[in-house]
Amino acid sequence: MTRHEVFPQGARDRIEILEEENRQLRATIAKLVGGDDTETARLTLSLTEAEATIFTLLVRCGVATYGQIQSAIYDVDRLDMINDVGEAIRSHVKRIRKKLRPLGIDFTTIYSLGFEMDEACRARARLMLARAA
């Protein structure tokens, strides 16, 4: 049964309006918190959406905990399908490192906390993103 079969026409119209407002708000938030950098990183560095989100988080903040990364890349429905979220995040990180090390960008693991990118690598990454934008 689809939502069109469950809700009357007036409610369906309201849902569509709210979904569009939600999409617009998400786009605005993405611009405010570096979402454009995420898209730039995804396209120019050949990163997946999750990899680009993690990369942008590290560039912006310097340190990213497992919890912050989990919140940034997974929604509740997706989390239910993943057996070991920490292992999934480490897998993303491994692929990011493989793609970025040849470009002189790397970050370190902070045991049981998350990951850290030093200021020199963050500056290099910001410059790379600015040139690509």
Side-chain angles (χ1 to χ4, degrees), residues 42-56:
R42 193 179 70 74
L43 296 173
T44 59
L45 302 173
S46 299
L47 300 174
T48 66
E49 187 174 338
E51 292 167 355
T53 301
I54 294 168
F55 170 72
T56 306

Side-chain angles (χ1 to χ4, degrees), residues 11-26:
R12 283 193 305 242
D13 293 341
R14 182 69 182 143
I15 289 169
E16 289 176 14
I17 290 168
L18 290 172
E19 285 176 342
E20 176 58 22
E21 287 176 359
N22 189 19
R23 188 196 63 72
Q24 291 174 7
L25 287 170
R26 285 178 186 263

Side-chain angles (χ1 to χ4, degrees), residues 11 14 60 74 87 90 104 111 124:
R14 182 69 182 143
R60 192 172 56 244
Y74 298 122
E87 182 60 32
R90 286 187 293 277
Y111 182 74
R124 192 175 299 119

Side-chain angles (χ1 to χ4, degrees), residues 49-76 78-79 82 84-97 107-110 112-117:
E49 187 174 338
E51 292 167 355
T53 301
I54 294 168
F55 170 72
T56 306
L57 186 61
L58 284 166
V59 171
R60 192 172 56 244
C61 301
V63 174
T65 66
Y66 280 100
Q68 290 169 329
I69 294 170
Q70 176 182 318
S71 297
I73 64 175
Y74 298 122
D75 60 15
V76 175
R78 186 78 182 251
L79 281 173
I82 299 172
D84 186 350
V85 175
E87 182 60 32
I89 290 171
R90 286 187 293 277
S91 179
H92 288 301
V93 166
K94 180 181 177 182
R95 288 191 306 272
I96 295 168
R97 284 180 166 146
F107 48 92
T108 58
T109 301
I110 304 171
S112 78
L113 177 68
F115 306 92
E116 180 177 26
M117 184 180 286

